[in-house]
Amino acid sequence: MKVEREKIRANLPLDEPDANKSLLVRQMRARDLLRGDIDSADLEKHVEEAVLATRLDKVLNWGRANAIFPATFGLACCAIEMMSVVSPRYDIARFGAEAMRASPRQADMLILSGRVSIKMAPVVRRLYDQMLEPKWVVSMGACSSSGGMFSNYAVVQGADKFLPVDIHVPGCPPRPEALLYGFNKLQRMIMGNPEIGWRTRYSAHGTEEWARDLGKVTDDARDAYAAARDIAEAAGPPASGQPGGPADVPGPPQERVDVPERSKVEEGRFI
Amino acid sequence: MPDAPGLELIRGELNDAHPDAITGSYFEHGSACLICDPVQIRDVLAWLRDTPGQEYTFLASVHGVDYLPAEPRFGVHYELLNMARVERIRVRAALEDPGPDALPEIPTVSDEWPTADHQEREVYDFFGIVFTGHPDLRRILMPEDYVGWPQRRDFPIGGEPVIFTNTERDVPGWYA
Amino acid sequence: MNETEEQLRDEEPVELPTGAKRHENGNMRGSAPAHGRDIVARSSAEVIGTSVIERTDADDSLEPEQELMTVNLGPHHPATHGVLRLLVSLQGETVIDLKPIMGYVHTGIEKNCEDKSYWKAIPFVERMDYLSYFFNMQAFCGCVEKMLELEIPPRAKYLRVIHMELNRLHSHLVWLGTSALDLGAMSMFFYCFRDRDRILDLFEMSSGQRMHTRYFQVGGVFEDIPVGFEQKVKAFCAEFPTRVDQFEALLTNNEIFLQRTKGVGIVERERLKALGVTGPLLRAAGEPWDLRKVDPYLAYGDFDFDIPIGTVGDGWDRFRCRIQEMRESVRIIEQAIDGLPEGPVLADDRKIVLPPRHELGTSMEALIHHFKLVTEGFRVPPGECYYPIESPRGELGCFILADGSAKPARVHFRDPSFVNLQSLRDMCVGEYIADMIQNLAMLDPVLGGIDR
């Protein structure tokens, strides 16, 4: 079986169409600059071009990534490990994030550390809404990523259900080093070098829960998923003693789909 | 703990003081338990606290149990502790299930035993057992508008089933 | 009685200038309707959405000009230890009334345990009071062992005691760090967490996990300690009293700390006992009650240690009690690690405890036992049991109802923080709101235990 891997792009993404050529031009210009060969008009033009909008964006992103103010949202056991990330041994201050702001208005990043119970979910949502853009969410631990070991009536099965989450950190509780790894991943994401993700690396598009049809996101699959969600919502909150949701909703087709050959999803078209 | 004969002595004395209050008693795993009629629970607990020689002054825990399918269905357990002699005794109020439209009731002890305040609210929250005379009986751990009594045995556990993909074999893994 | 009820229901709330609503005649605490159903209807309709909380007798004498401000603290708040919501009714800076609202991290652990076999329920109960996970495990495993009448080997008892006392140190260190942080002493936080990391290293050495180690099993301890553990524990115990000295040097004679904690939050002993409070709170008030001494379980009877008792019961006494308890825990650990007996770490009963792995290749019975234990789990004969232990916060009791199958029919934890929180109102009423933060810190609530 042939494994196709995407080329991992170099750390310095050059978005321009003829990247190499412009790089060469810039190198020569820099050489002339250093030699003192450029005169004033060319020098001004050079300086102007050097401070392009993309450069400004990069500086802004660099600043954002290296000075994140986490909003401590200590819910349960993961909060203790989050506190120990601030502690001297697993120092988060070396990444610039030791200023933990209690107020969501002053914070950038929401670290959801702990299980989100159904009573707490509206409070978390309100806190998230009170944060100002740009904001990111790190879901720390198994409980906030997916409900963890608590698959029951009282825990929201993953904060994804009501919040957009950028980074999930697995563990129960995750070691502080794991949280720092997730944090570094978030920093790279902010700076514009997102990781390509395992689905791209192993060309595993099509393994998502709802994609059953030759690994491609068809409109039918997406519509079926939306229809199922509407049915579950229309059924309303569960009456006393009755489970709502999954039992009533038609699940994904159980029969095994025969995939003749691995196929790729079009670029960017997956949830 | 009062041992088995001691338990019978207590039961006898209680029956003299409050007839028909105790409907049963058992002694297992080294601990003593009295089964009580719910209507007289206040008298039983007061007797256990005030009688010289008994003096179970510390109410350690009030919790509810659903014995479905055994009858009577509900039990409210009162764990009493005598701090001087370090002895524990448990009083279980046996409550019948009054059917799907009504809630079982038992008089509150929170005015005599202030520790029972939050604990009775918890029993109400999870089992639907109403403590008559409680100053502020409402849900304590579940959201205030929640419908249902979660820790009853016939309440489903909830949660979501894990949806597995069935395309695992097609994705190249480390072994492929 | 019925007239009062109708009056209460029909009355329009009086709008005060400050916007707080107040019922003219209503005193929710005084009247008790006859039928239980009415409490439900009345309480839920009136309590939700009103901004005034239960009125005490003090409220009846208030003039409408006096401003009562209701402040909501939490559930997201840096100084409540977890997601605790407090509705505080203030007059100026004095607390008139206080109502804690919990349930924001309710996880349904007790219900979930009914769904799992006894072995598999251990990780669930561990995560209740998330700072004292070994104590949660001991309460559960001890209760099951009491119902099975299973005797655990002495080495397992000693190992359990060592890990539990290390966990007590861990819990008190986190308490000290976060409480000092609440009171403004930020550097204590870093010192305490530095030492806490050393304890977590020890846990990682013995079980592989820092927190929530699932180290205790029904029948003993999961695995024997590795080589080098004893030396590390001894080195830790040799050094830790110096650390406690350093903490005391920072706080004990600190003028600010003394002013904030001395004479604040005093509740008399009988009232605490009536409220069901146990643990360092009760001991600080002068009651010599510690389950390790009065009702020894595991191997606590073999060790020589003292119980620190306070005199007044204010925040200062609670602080000193816990600091001294840390020193006593170090004493216990030293004695335990010195006297650690040899032998197996798991009981012998193959119907309950997994057989050792090397037997699985040779013995058929071992294989069958292993299979049955892993797929179904051991069965516990029908019965009930309540098993209390002394956790860092007070009496942690586990109640299990077994119906003869492999899954418990009811698991309930009498959590000390849940009961201790009822004393917060008594501590705070009549004092300043800044003292309320201090009272909450010295109460040491852990919301995982309160909400379960």
Side-chain angles (χ1 to χ4, degrees), chain C residues 85-101:
Chain C
R85 183 172 166 208
L86 292 170
L87 273 182
V88 186
S89 185
L90 290 174
Q91 189 201 338
E93 279 222 11
T94 319
V95 175
I96 303 295
D97 204 354
L98 174 88
K99 192 143 82 167
I101 299 176

Side-chain angles (χ1 to χ4, degrees), chain C residues 213-351:
Chain C
T213 57
R214 214 213 51 174
Y215 188 55
F216 293 177
Q217 299 290 305
V218 176
V221 168
F222 180 57
E223 224 178 27
D224 207 346
I225 49 175
V227 173
F229 185 77
E230 290 185 37
Q231 288 90 317
K232 282 230 160 86
V233 170
K234 284 184 187 155
F236 172 77
C237 290
E239 203 198 351
F240 194 70
T242 342
R243 296 265 191 255
V244 182
D245 291 337
Q246 290 172 356
F247 301 150
E248 291 210 82
L250 267 177
L251 286 177
T252 307
N253 294 319
N254 189 322
E255 181 69 31
I256 301 173
F257 192 76
L258 285 173
Q259 286 221 345
R260 281 209 76 170
T261 53
K262 267 215 184 267
V264 170
I266 298 179
V267 182
E268 55 174 18
R269 208 156 55 145
E270 292 307 316
R271 177 75 183 156
L272 281 178
K273 281 202 275 194
L275 285 165
V277 171
T278 49
L281 288 165
L282 191 61
R283 291 197 279 279
E287 178 79 20
W289 181 255
D290 188 325
L291 283 173
R292 295 176 289 169
K293 277 287 192 191
V294 300
D295 192 11
Y297 51 96
L298 285 184
Y300 279 109
D302 297 346
F303 305 124
D304 173 36
F305 61 101
D306 298 320
I307 307 292
I309 315 274
T311 45
V312 176
D314 56 1
W316 167 250
D317 273 351
R318 292 170 193 144
F319 162 77
R320 292 283 301 148
C321 265
R322 289 200 177 100
I323 294 275
Q324 196 57 30
E325 268 182 28
M326 285 205 258
R327 291 189 201 274
E328 298 297 329
S329 288
V330 173
R331 271 176 75 183
I332 299 177
I333 299 172
E334 277 174 347
Q335 291 171 50
I337 203 87
D338 285 334
L340 192 61
E342 298 297 325
V345 292
L346 275 171
D348 244 343
D349 192 343
R350 293 303 163 78
K351 301 252 181 289

Side-chain angles (χ1 to χ4, degrees), chain B residues 101-150:
Chain B
D101 298 325
L103 297 176
E105 288 174 13
I106 182 173
T108 183
V109 299
S110 55
D111 46 351
E112 305 250 320
W113 308 80
T115 182
D117 187 2
H118 285 204
Q119 305 198 52
E120 287 182 348
R121 277 176 67 187
E122 187 196 346
V123 177
Y124 165 69
D125 189 1
F126 288 129
F127 292 95
I129 297 174
V130 173
F131 289 85
T132 54
H134 194 277
D136 184 20
L137 192 70
R138 55 195 167 94
R139 288 190 181 269
I140 189 171
L141 295 182
M142 299 304 293
E144 302 232 331
D145 50 354
Y146 195 78
V147 172
W149 313 110

Side-chain angles (χ1 to χ4, degrees), chain C residues 5-161:
Chain C
E5 277 180 76
E6 279 168 316
Q7 258 182 339
L8 282 170
R9 281 211 201 93
D10 300 342
E11 200 101 37
E12 288 301 319
V14 171
E15 191 87 16
L16 289 182
T18 56
K21 295 189 181 50
R22 184 177 70 166
H23 291 278
E24 199 69 34
N25 296 324
N27 185 346
M28 284 195 255
R29 187 161 278 157
S31 57
H35 199 268
R37 197 91 55 87
D38 287 348
I39 290 188
V40 177
R42 195 172 59 102
S43 306
S44 53
E46 287 182 350
V47 170
I48 298 172
T50 57
S51 59
V52 76
I53 49 185
E54 291 170 7
R55 297 180 45 200
T56 54
D57 292 334
D59 286 5
D60 287 334
S61 58
L62 283 177
E63 305 296 323
E65 289 85 42
Q66 287 179 326
E67 295 195 4
L68 265 186
M69 180 169 65
T70 307
V71 166
N72 176 50
L73 257 80
H76 171 69
H77 189 92
T80 60
H81 290 240
V83 280
L84 176 65
R85 183 172 166 208
L86 292 170
L87 273 182
V88 186
S89 185
L90 290 174
Q91 189 201 338
E93 279 222 11
T94 319
V95 175
I96 303 295
D97 204 354
L98 174 88
K99 192 143 82 167
I101 299 176
M102 311 154 240
Y104 288 97
V105 74
H106 172 64
T107 326
I109 293 182
E110 296 182 349
K111 175 88 181 176
N112 224 341
C113 287
E114 294 173 19
D115 210 26
K116 313 266 176 242
S117 64
Y118 289 91
W119 193 33
K120 301 205 169 120
I122 296 176
F124 280 88
V125 303
E126 239 184 331
R127 284 155 169 84
M128 279 192 188
D129 181 349
Y130 43 79
L131 284 181
S132 50
Y133 28 101
F134 283 103
F135 293 93
N136 297 339
M137 280 195 276
Q138 168 57 26
F140 184 78
C141 293
C143 194
V144 178
E145 283 154 12
K146 199 164 155 188
M147 294 174 82
L148 291 169
E149 287 168 33
L150 183 69
E151 194 60 39
I152 64 173
R155 188 175 173 87
K157 283 187 186 163
Y158 272 63
L159 282 176
R160 279 190 179 183
V161 166

Side-chain angles (χ1 to χ4, degrees), chain A residues 11-39:
Chain A
N11 229 2
L12 201 61
L14 302 166
D15 310 322
E16 297 89 335
D18 345 327
N20 289 332
K21 212 183 280 182
S22 96
L23 180 61
L24 195 60
V25 164
R26 289 210 301 273
Q27 278 179 335
M28 295 185 66
R29 207 182 284 161
R31 187 200 61 193
D32 291 339
L33 189 61
L34 287 169
R35 283 186 194 161
D37 283 347
I38 301 185
D39 60 351

